[in-house]
Amino acid sequence: MNQPTANPPRTAAADADRAVPPARMASRGVTDDQTASATPVAHTAPPTGEEHPRTAPLAIHDMTVAYDRKPVLWDVDLNVPEGQLVAIVGPNGAGKSTLIKAALNLMPMVSGQVLIYGKPYRKQRHLVGYVPQRETVDWDFPVSALDVVAMGRYGRIGWFRPVTRKHRRAALDALERVEMAQYAHRQISQLSGGQQQRVFLARALAQDAKLYFMDEPFASVDAATERAIVRVLHELKDAGRTVIVVHHDLQTVTEYFDYLILLNMRVVTHGPVDDVFTQENLRMTYGGRLTLLSEAAQLFTQQSRSPRVD
Amino acid sequence: MNWLISDTWTIVIGSLCAVACALPGALLVLRRMSMMGDAISHTVLPGLAIAFLLTHSRAPLAMFIGAAVIGVATAFFIQGVQKLGKTESGASMGIVFTTLFAVGLVLMRQAVDHVDIDPDCVLYGAIETAGTTWQYITLLGVTAPRAVFVNGGAMVVNLVLIALLYKEFKISAFDPALATTLGISATLMHYLLMTMTAATAVAAFESVGSILVIAMFIVPPATAYLLTDRLAVMMVLSAVFGVLAAVFGHVAAIIVPPWFGFEGTSTAGMMAVVAGLLFALVWLASPRYGVLARMYHRLVMSMHVLCEDVMGLLYRLEELTDTQPATMPVADMTQALVARAWLVRRALGSLGRQRMIRRGDLGYVLTDAGRDQARQLVRSHRLWESYLAHYLRLPADHLHDPANRLEHAHELADKVDVALGRPETDPQGKTIPSRDNQ
Amino acid sequence: MARINTSRSRLRSFTARRPKRGALVIAAALSMSAFTAEIAAAPMQNPKGGHSIADTGFTWPTVEQTVRVLTLRDYNTRIVVMGVTCLGLASGTVGTFLLLRKRSLTADALSHAALPGIGLAFITLVLLGQDGKHLPGLLAGAFIAGCLGVGCILIIRHTTRLKDDAALGIVLSVSFGLGVVLLTIIQQMPVGGQAGLQRFVIGRAASMGARDAWVILICAAAVIVVCAALFKELQLLCFDQGYAGAQGWPVIRLDVILMALVTMVTVIALQSVGLVLAVAMLIIPAAAARFWTDQLMRMTLTAALIGMVSGYLGAVISALQPRMPTGPVIVLVCAAGFGVSMVAGIRRGMVVRVWRHWQLNNRVAMQHLLRAMFEQYESGTTPDRAFDGARMIQPRRIKVQFDKLLPKRSWTAAELRGIAATAVRRGLIHRNDDNSLSLTDAGGAQARRVVRNHRLWETYLIHYADIAPSHVDRDADQIEHVLGRDMVDRLERLLSEQLPPRTVPPSPHGA
């Protein structure tokens, strides 16, 4: 088990040279077979255009993300299929939120590429909705729930123009969908945690995007909110939207989601929930066996902070 | 330039004031309450005015107590507005100190016939005149300007308090909750620090003025914080920087303006400017946290990495061609490493001096010592590749780049080796060299 | 569908009530245009005539004087009042965003950083052979220096391990020191007008001329127009920066715009209130407005109004009273407004909060009393004689002695008497002739509801939250008082297997 298994054919330049695409392709095929034998799901997504289909809502290639030179995500490479409810699952500190933030350009990547429906994120922003974690904002802010939801329309409204009645109505419809219409005019600090989460969800709905990112929407919410979110997720799925959710509750993964990404500093595996949600994969995700990698990352951080004493 | 005895006294007063301010200032900076020092130093003005209106005298003690009490009250009010009004801390500071300052200005104007404190003096101080003869008093047989006794007193009190309560201050600055569980009331320490700050500000306002006190509170400790991680050292360094600022500030105030044909300028202002310059200097040149040091460090790091890459390249070439030693021309290296030519030349020079490589017929070859080093490097690289392939299940074509970054963590290579069960080949089937030359 | 309709109509009424963004511009434009007319008409009047702020006497103002000042009959008063009122308007507007962005003290550092800019501008103007007192030139210098100050703060924050507060303190104090150095040097320059620079430190609104007022008016108008045009963008920036970034709004550029607006207001505030108090004009009206409303546009309008009124009142008071410097008086009026708002503000004021708290406490105490009475009733009757369906049978039968209630909870006799008196007043409890208490029919019904909620919740905790029955009472106590109707419904549905519907379940403690 400890020994890496198959030995791919040796390519003369691969070691001394960094990027030789044909060699890459050749070795890739071998590696795929090799991993397939170990895990039920094969890796996908080599670096060519054909394999990152234009229709994929989210295609990440070779993404490495570092906080202050300390890598937190290694070489993420995945395609998310369209029209599915996708869960990102992994232990604390696995880089789940980081993955979303890097995909949304909120954090710089060390390397890699993110494509939303085949184009860079900058050009596709209008297709993407985002539900951040609830703690990221000051809930004492003087706005009503409706105002917050209307923020989802700002992208459509554009610079300088005020929020018109039409957009307000769209915002109210979004609130209706999360069963919050009766709280539309409440100041947001007077809402419970779950209701605040639903307001955030409604804001993303008001955007009417094709691809949604949600960062821990189920974190410490009441049962009513959880039901409302699940219902909205299914509505979105029925409308052909793709939703990517950072999730922390293993018990509900199979119930709520179609597609699963297991993450722990790297993509352990991804695929339809039924195939991927196995004991073996979970053990690989949650078993803390990457201590050496963390140690190496720590070493880099230290070195980059203080000069080495030689 | 003619140096007068009053100039010497000015420097003495400035230094005493600087040391007195640096001690509580270090704690303020560490507790992220610098602006609290700003707020409290502003409220000296209303304190003086209120004390005067209450006592109808200019008795120094009454003035001192009045100003100090208002200073501590400022801290209370800020807390009050923050809690009762649910206002953010920065805003409540801004509200409280500006209001009190406005009260002070109005009262000053009202009392203008009776008292000769003028707001300008409170704001900018009058350190230049503090050393003149008519300000002398005799105390305990020593004749010196009054400000020397005032600031010296503040300094001694602060020194004694901090020496006595050093560990209490330290722990409540570091972790107030922990301090409270250990039986040290964080609130008490907070208000003690506020009292020290207020008293020091009152003592110093005459010399440097109430707004420039903040320069003495914050800038030297902030400068020291860029040089050290230890509280005691930080306090000492803050005091040193404060004294430097005082000395050079006064000298600069006398010397610099004549260059442009003026007579001289405000010493207090110049002290703040010099403190700022010292900060800028340390910010640039601090050996640990300085900008230059970090740039240099980054350069050294990347040079180090490049050197290792050169050696790795030569080692792999030897492996590939099965010759020892194998030669590689510089141009090829530059191309293979995707680096700038001059950087590669620098790396080659550095390696040559370390006798890791030497010049061959057509390019450079590894020396024996270099080969040993290079082996470690290649070993590290291949071990990490195996690790990544095994634990991260990265596909083979994704192994090289991360391994390239990780290989420089040689220290961990042995651990990786053990974790993988001492593999002999890497995922590409290449031999992983052993640790020692066998 | 009905619900959608009602919410629609609520929306309509809401949009009608909601102050439009245009309101900000219109209000500002109206007040400003009035002043513009004043300045334009000014040369027609005799500037020497009448009473001005600069030469206030020592006597208490007569009625006639007061009326003259209040109605702005004098040219000088009018100029000053106009200037500071416009300033208040602009600073209240921008201050709202500054406060909500939690950058209040940045404005303080900024105003101090402006001083060396003014000094350098003066020197440059003199060297260029211009009049050093040229206000737009000085303000331009202040603006540039303010921007540099903000830049330094950002650099210190990002390249060192010092935190925000230290960065602010350093920039504030060092640039003030530099300013003092420059001003001292300027004093020695062989040109006139340098004394005027002192007014930027303490502020001397009384020395404001028509040209100064024009500058303030134009700057204030520009600031308000930008705030109104970018209202929703700034709202988004202040509320949720991360989301704004993800949506592609240029967060950094918006931040720069906001700080530029703040700098502009600070710079025009320097002359009237001085650099120490400039920050007060920005923060205090906004902080005061926060107590009155939960809606950003209203808060902005309120802050602008408070700023305006403070400016007006401050200028008027200092015109009427001898030795009242305008700047500090304006700030004190602002502070008084803040004090009043903090106590009496209808949304977050202390009175309202204390009142709400008191009401909740009262409600909880009342429910405790009813529950205690109910439990006495339960223990005093056999179960089959206690209820007729959902109704209690003659709750008045059971008389409870005051002494028996006292040990039920940790209330003092006085507290209990107070609650009981309230309950009697509301007709929930009947006081018998022998001074014992009984539930009335209405009280019985309410007590039944209270106890039912309490026990539902207790049962839920035991069955679903795995809490030991002995601990449940205290947990249930805290939540039962805030259970809404829908929550109770849900509990009932959830617990329908354990409990028969619509009756009071027995206490899970088995008592």
Side-chain angles (χ1 to χ4, degrees), chain B residues 161-186:
Chain B
L161 272 177
I162 290 201
L164 287 178
L165 295 170
Y166 179 74
K167 68 174 190 307
E168 283 83 359
F169 272 121
K170 193 172 171 179
I171 194 154
S172 53
F174 170 65
D175 186 349
L178 177 68
T180 309
T181 60
L182 293 176
I184 301 161
S185 164

PDB file of all heavy atoms in Angstrom, chain B residues 161-186:
ATOM      1  N   LEU B 161       6.096  51.893  38.094  1.00  0.00           N
ATOM      2  CA  LEU B 161       4.865  51.119  37.907  1.00  0.00           C
ATOM      3  C   LEU B 161       5.099  49.943  36.979  1.00  0.00           C
ATOM      4  O   LEU B 161       4.679  48.815  37.252  1.00  0.00           O
ATOM      5  CB  LEU B 161       3.779  52.015  37.320  1.00  0.00           C
ATOM      6  CG  LEU B 161       2.924  52.772  38.328  1.00  0.00           C
ATOM      7  CD1 LEU B 161       1.945  53.675  37.602  1.00  0.00           C
ATOM      8  CD2 LEU B 161       2.177  51.785  39.208  1.00  0.00           C
ATOM      9  N   ILE B 162       5.796  50.195  35.882  1.00  0.00           N
ATOM     10  CA  ILE B 162       5.988  49.112  34.917  1.00  0.00           C
ATOM     11  C   ILE B 162       6.940  48.070  35.463  1.00  0.00           C
ATOM     12  O   ILE B 162       6.752  46.864  35.261  1.00  0.00           O
ATOM     13  CB  ILE B 162       6.452  49.688  33.572  1.00  0.00           C
ATOM     14  CG1 ILE B 162       5.267  50.444  32.984  1.00  0.00           C
ATOM     15  CG2 ILE B 162       6.962  48.607  32.643  1.00  0.00           C
ATOM     16  CD1 ILE B 162       5.273  50.678  31.539  1.00  0.00           C
ATOM     17  N   ALA B 163       7.944  48.506  36.198  1.00  0.00           N
ATOM     18  CA  ALA B 163       8.863  47.525  36.784  1.00  0.00           C
ATOM     19  C   ALA B 163       8.118  46.643  37.782  1.00  0.00           C
ATOM     20  O   ALA B 163       8.300  45.425  37.816  1.00  0.00           O
ATOM     21  CB  ALA B 163      10.016  48.246  37.478  1.00  0.00           C
ATOM     22  N   LEU B 164       7.238  47.247  38.572  1.00  0.00           N
ATOM     23  CA  LEU B 164       6.525  46.474  39.584  1.00  0.00           C
ATOM     24  C   LEU B 164       5.484  45.550  38.962  1.00  0.00           C
ATOM     25  O   LEU B 164       5.295  44.427  39.404  1.00  0.00           O
ATOM     26  CB  LEU B 164       5.837  47.408  40.583  1.00  0.00           C
ATOM     27  CG  LEU B 164       6.747  48.127  41.571  1.00  0.00           C
ATOM     28  CD1 LEU B 164       5.926  49.040  42.461  1.00  0.00           C
ATOM     29  CD2 LEU B 164       7.509  47.106  42.411  1.00  0.00           C
ATOM     30  N   LEU B 165       4.803  46.070  37.948  1.00  0.00           N
ATOM     31  CA  LEU B 165       3.669  45.326  37.408  1.00  0.00           C
ATOM     32  C   LEU B 165       3.971  44.769  36.018  1.00  0.00           C
ATOM     33  O   LEU B 165       3.067  44.582  35.215  1.00  0.00           O
ATOM     34  CB  LEU B 165       2.442  46.234  37.351  1.00  0.00           C
ATOM     35  CG  LEU B 165       1.920  46.714  38.698  1.00  0.00           C
ATOM     36  CD1 LEU B 165       0.877  47.781  38.518  1.00  0.00           C
ATOM     37  CD2 LEU B 165       1.344  45.542  39.476  1.00  0.00           C
ATOM     38  N   TYR B 166       5.261  44.507  35.768  1.00  0.00           N
ATOM     39  CA  TYR B 166       5.649  44.120  34.411  1.00  0.00           C
ATOM     40  C   TYR B 166       4.866  42.908  33.925  1.00  0.00           C
ATOM     41  O   TYR B 166       4.239  42.934  32.872  1.00  0.00           O
ATOM     42  CB  TYR B 166       7.149  43.846  34.370  1.00  0.00           C
ATOM     43  CG  TYR B 166       7.631  43.424  33.011  1.00  0.00           C
ATOM     44  CD1 TYR B 166       7.732  44.357  31.991  1.00  0.00           C
ATOM     45  CD2 TYR B 166       7.967  42.106  32.749  1.00  0.00           C
ATOM     46  CE1 TYR B 166       8.163  43.984  30.735  1.00  0.00           C
ATOM     47  CE2 TYR B 166       8.388  41.718  31.492  1.00  0.00           C
ATOM     48  CZ  TYR B 166       8.488  42.662  30.493  1.00  0.00           C
ATOM     49  OH  TYR B 166       8.906  42.295  29.247  1.00  0.00           O
ATOM     50  N   LYS B 167       4.867  41.841  34.710  1.00  0.00           N
ATOM     51  CA  LYS B 167       4.228  40.628  34.196  1.00  0.00           C
ATOM     52  C   LYS B 167       2.714  40.782  34.109  1.00  0.00           C
ATOM     53  O   LYS B 167       2.073  40.230  33.210  1.00  0.00           O
ATOM     54  CB  LYS B 167       4.635  39.407  35.030  1.00  0.00           C
ATOM     55  CG  LYS B 167       4.126  39.394  36.427  1.00  0.00           C
ATOM     56  CD  LYS B 167       4.480  38.061  37.090  1.00  0.00           C
ATOM     57  CE  LYS B 167       3.769  37.908  38.409  1.00  0.00           C
ATOM     58  NZ  LYS B 167       3.979  39.067  39.307  1.00  0.00           N
ATOM     59  N   GLU B 168       2.136  41.572  35.029  1.00  0.00           N
ATOM     60  CA  GLU B 168       0.694  41.803  34.957  1.00  0.00           C
ATOM     61  C   GLU B 168       0.342  42.563  33.679  1.00  0.00           C
ATOM     62  O   GLU B 168      -0.607  42.213  32.978  1.00  0.00           O
ATOM     63  CB  GLU B 168       0.216  42.601  36.186  1.00  0.00           C
ATOM     64  CG  GLU B 168       0.085  41.786  37.452  1.00  0.00           C
ATOM     65  CD  GLU B 168       1.404  41.611  38.183  1.00  0.00           C
ATOM     66  OE1 GLU B 168       2.427  42.131  37.672  1.00  0.00           O
ATOM     67  OE2 GLU B 168       1.425  40.954  39.232  1.00  0.00           O
ATOM     68  N   PHE B 169       1.130  43.595  33.386  1.00  0.00           N
ATOM     69  CA  PHE B 169       0.872  44.344  32.154  1.00  0.00           C
ATOM     70  C   PHE B 169       1.045  43.440  30.943  1.00  0.00           C
ATOM     71  O   PHE B 169       0.267  43.482  30.001  1.00  0.00           O
ATOM     72  CB  PHE B 169       1.842  45.529  32.039  1.00  0.00           C
ATOM     73  CG  PHE B 169       1.334  46.768  32.707  1.00  0.00           C
ATOM     74  CD1 PHE B 169       2.051  47.376  33.729  1.00  0.00           C
ATOM     75  CD2 PHE B 169       0.130  47.338  32.329  1.00  0.00           C
ATOM     76  CE1 PHE B 169       1.581  48.528  34.332  1.00  0.00           C
ATOM     77  CE2 PHE B 169      -0.346  48.481  32.928  1.00  0.00           C
ATOM     78  CZ  PHE B 169       0.389  49.074  33.939  1.00  0.00           C
ATOM     79  N   LYS B 170       2.079  42.624  31.010  1.00  0.00           N
ATOM     80  CA  LYS B 170       2.398  41.785  29.873  1.00  0.00           C
ATOM     81  C   LYS B 170       1.251  40.826  29.577  1.00  0.00           C
ATOM     82  O   LYS B 170       0.779  40.733  28.457  1.00  0.00           O
ATOM     83  CB  LYS B 170       3.673  41.000  30.187  1.00  0.00           C
ATOM     84  CG  LYS B 170       4.287  40.324  28.996  1.00  0.00           C
ATOM     85  CD  LYS B 170       5.620  39.762  29.411  1.00  0.00           C
ATOM     86  CE  LYS B 170       6.222  38.879  28.350  1.00  0.00           C
ATOM     87  NZ  LYS B 170       7.521  38.377  28.758  1.00  0.00           N
ATOM     88  N   ILE B 171       0.779  40.166  30.623  1.00  0.00           N
ATOM     89  CA  ILE B 171      -0.241  39.155  30.374  1.00  0.00           C
ATOM     90  C   ILE B 171      -1.569  39.794  29.998  1.00  0.00           C
ATOM     91  O   ILE B 171      -2.301  39.287  29.145  1.00  0.00           O
ATOM     92  CB  ILE B 171      -0.389  38.196  31.572  1.00  0.00           C
ATOM     93  CG1 ILE B 171      -1.193  36.985  31.137  1.00  0.00           C
ATOM     94  CG2 ILE B 171      -1.041  38.863  32.761  1.00  0.00           C
ATOM     95  CD1 ILE B 171      -0.908  35.779  31.920  1.00  0.00           C
ATOM     96  N   SER B 172      -1.874  40.960  30.589  1.00  0.00           N
ATOM     97  CA  SER B 172      -3.167  41.538  30.224  1.00  0.00           C
ATOM     98  C   SER B 172      -3.109  42.217  28.856  1.00  0.00           C
ATOM     99  O   SER B 172      -4.138  42.410  28.225  1.00  0.00           O
ATOM    100  CB  SER B 172      -3.678  42.493  31.306  1.00  0.00           C
ATOM    101  OG  SER B 172      -2.707  43.445  31.597  1.00  0.00           O
ATOM    102  N   ALA B 173      -1.895  42.531  28.389  1.00  0.00           N
ATOM    103  CA  ALA B 173      -1.792  43.020  27.018  1.00  0.00           C
ATOM    104  C   ALA B 173      -1.915  41.867  26.042  1.00  0.00           C
ATOM    105  O   ALA B 173      -2.512  41.988  24.979  1.00  0.00           O
ATOM    106  CB  ALA B 173      -0.458  43.726  26.806  1.00  0.00           C
ATOM    107  N   PHE B 174      -1.372  40.727  26.444  1.00  0.00           N
ATOM    108  CA  PHE B 174      -1.333  39.586  25.539  1.00  0.00           C
ATOM    109  C   PHE B 174      -2.682  38.880  25.461  1.00  0.00           C
ATOM    110  O   PHE B 174      -3.190  38.583  24.400  1.00  0.00           O
ATOM    111  CB  PHE B 174      -0.236  38.627  26.005  1.00  0.00           C
ATOM    112  CG  PHE B 174      -0.247  37.313  25.304  1.00  0.00           C
ATOM    113  CD1 PHE B 174       0.026  37.251  23.943  1.00  0.00           C
ATOM    114  CD2 PHE B 174      -0.527  36.143  25.984  1.00  0.00           C
ATOM    115  CE1 PHE B 174       0.010  36.046  23.292  1.00  0.00           C
ATOM    116  CE2 PHE B 174      -0.545  34.935  25.335  1.00  0.00           C
ATOM    117  CZ  PHE B 174      -0.275  34.884  23.979  1.00  0.00           C
ATOM    118  N   ASP B 175      -3.282  38.650  26.618  1.00  0.00           N
ATOM    119  CA  ASP B 175      -4.523  37.881  26.640  1.00  0.00           C
ATOM    120  C   ASP B 175      -5.355  38.289  27.853  1.00  0.00           C
ATOM    121  O   ASP B 175      -5.220  37.717  28.935  1.00  0.00           O
ATOM    122  CB  ASP B 175      -4.174  36.386  26.713  1.00  0.00           C
ATOM    123  CG  ASP B 175      -5.413  35.526  26.586  1.00  0.00           C
ATOM    124  OD1 ASP B 175      -6.526  36.077  26.657  1.00  0.00           O
ATOM    125  OD2 ASP B 175      -5.268  34.306  26.418  1.00  0.00           O
ATOM    126  N   PRO B 176      -6.212  39.288  27.700  1.00  0.00           N
ATOM    127  CA  PRO B 176      -6.990  39.800  28.834  1.00  0.00           C
ATOM    128  C   PRO B 176      -7.825  38.713  29.512  1.00  0.00           C
ATOM    129  O   PRO B 176      -7.921  38.674  30.742  1.00  0.00           O
ATOM    130  CB  PRO B 176      -7.892  40.854  28.201  1.00  0.00           C
ATOM    131  CG  PRO B 176      -7.250  41.215  26.929  1.00  0.00           C
ATOM    132  CD  PRO B 176      -6.484  40.030  26.476  1.00  0.00           C
ATOM    133  N   ALA B 177      -8.384  37.803  28.712  1.00  0.00           N
ATOM    134  CA  ALA B 177      -9.238  36.762  29.297  1.00  0.00           C
ATOM    135  C   ALA B 177      -8.408  35.865  30.211  1.00  0.00           C
ATOM    136  O   ALA B 177      -8.804  35.547  31.330  1.00  0.00           O
ATOM    137  CB  ALA B 177      -9.882  35.946  28.189  1.00  0.00           C
ATOM    138  N   LEU B 178      -7.232  35.486  29.707  1.00  0.00           N
ATOM    139  CA  LEU B 178      -6.355  34.639  30.508  1.00  0.00           C
ATOM    140  C   LEU B 178      -5.963  35.362  31.793  1.00  0.00           C
ATOM    141  O   LEU B 178      -5.967  34.783  32.885  1.00  0.00           O
ATOM    142  CB  LEU B 178      -5.110  34.291  29.699  1.00  0.00           C
ATOM    143  CG  LEU B 178      -4.065  33.459  30.447  1.00  0.00           C
ATOM    144  CD1 LEU B 178      -4.618  32.070  30.705  1.00  0.00           C
ATOM    145  CD2 LEU B 178      -2.772  33.379  29.665  1.00  0.00           C
ATOM    146  N   ALA B 179      -5.648  36.651  31.662  1.00  0.00           N
ATOM    147  CA  ALA B 179      -5.257  37.429  32.833  1.00  0.00           C
ATOM    148  C   ALA B 179      -6.354  37.379  33.882  1.00  0.00           C
ATOM    149  O   ALA B 179      -6.099  37.168  35.062  1.00  0.00           O
ATOM    150  CB  ALA B 179      -4.969  38.868  32.422  1.00  0.00           C
ATOM    151  N   THR B 180      -7.592  37.534  33.450  1.00  0.00           N
ATOM    152  CA  THR B 180      -8.695  37.538  34.402  1.00  0.00           C
ATOM    153  C   THR B 180      -8.825  36.185  35.083  1.00  0.00           C
ATOM    154  O   THR B 180      -9.047  36.118  36.296  1.00  0.00           O
ATOM    155  CB  THR B 180      -9.999  37.899  33.675  1.00  0.00           C
ATOM    156  OG1 THR B 180      -9.771  39.081  32.927  1.00  0.00           O
ATOM    157  CG2 THR B 180     -11.112  38.145  34.658  1.00  0.00           C
ATOM    158  N   THR B 181      -8.647  35.107  34.334  1.00  0.00           N
ATOM    159  CA  THR B 181      -8.751  33.795  34.982  1.00  0.00           C
ATOM    160  C   THR B 181      -7.611  33.584  35.957  1.00  0.00           C
ATOM    161  O   THR B 181      -7.736  32.812  36.890  1.00  0.00           O
ATOM    162  CB  THR B 181      -8.730  32.655  33.954  1.00  0.00           C
ATOM    163  OG1 THR B 181      -7.487  32.736  33.231  1.00  0.00           O
ATOM    164  CG2 THR B 181      -9.878  32.750  32.990  1.00  0.00           C
ATOM    165  N   LEU B 182      -6.491  34.269  35.748  1.00  0.00           N
ATOM    166  CA  LEU B 182      -5.371  34.123  36.674  1.00  0.00           C
ATOM    167  C   LEU B 182      -5.488  35.069  37.863  1.00  0.00           C
ATOM    168  O   LEU B 182      -4.572  35.165  38.668  1.00  0.00           O
ATOM    169  CB  LEU B 182      -4.050  34.399  35.952  1.00  0.00           C
ATOM    170  CG  LEU B 182      -3.664  33.378  34.888  1.00  0.00           C
ATOM    171  CD1 LEU B 182      -2.409  33.801  34.173  1.00  0.00           C
ATOM    172  CD2 LEU B 182      -3.472  32.009  35.520  1.00  0.00           C
ATOM    173  N   GLY B 183      -6.594  35.793  37.916  1.00  0.00           N
ATOM    174  CA  GLY B 183      -6.802  36.669  39.063  1.00  0.00           C
ATOM    175  C   GLY B 183      -6.237  38.061  38.888  1.00  0.00           C
ATOM    176  O   GLY B 183      -6.152  38.820  39.847  1.00  0.00           O
ATOM    177  N   ILE B 184      -5.835  38.408  37.665  1.00  0.00           N
ATOM    178  CA  ILE B 184      -5.372  39.772  37.413  1.00  0.00           C
ATOM    179  C   ILE B 184      -6.497  40.467  36.669  1.00  0.00           C
ATOM    180  O   ILE B 184      -6.824  40.082  35.546  1.00  0.00           O
ATOM    181  CB  ILE B 184      -4.104  39.773  36.545  1.00  0.00           C
ATOM    182  CG1 ILE B 184      -3.015  38.983  37.239  1.00  0.00           C
ATOM    183  CG2 ILE B 184      -3.656  41.193  36.254  1.00  0.00           C
ATOM    184  CD1 ILE B 184      -1.920  38.539  36.321  1.00  0.00           C
ATOM    185  N   SER B 185      -7.099  41.447  37.285  1.00  0.00           N
ATOM    186  CA  SER B 185      -8.247  42.060  36.646  1.00  0.00           C
ATOM    187  C   SER B 185      -7.810  42.847  35.412  1.00  0.00           C
ATOM    188  O   SER B 185      -7.076  43.836  35.511  1.00  0.00           O
ATOM    189  CB  SER B 185      -8.950  42.992  37.624  1.00  0.00           C
ATOM    190  OG  SER B 185      -9.809  43.854  36.914  1.00  0.00           O
ATOM    191  N   ALA B 186      -8.256  42.385  34.252  1.00  0.00           N
ATOM    192  CA  ALA B 186      -7.873  43.060  33.011  1.00  0.00           C
ATOM    193  C   ALA B 186      -8.444  44.472  32.978  1.00  0.00           C
ATOM    194  O   ALA B 186      -7.814  45.393  32.464  1.00  0.00           O
ATOM    195  CB  ALA B 186      -8.358  42.254  31.808  1.00  0.00           C
TER     196      ALA B 186
END
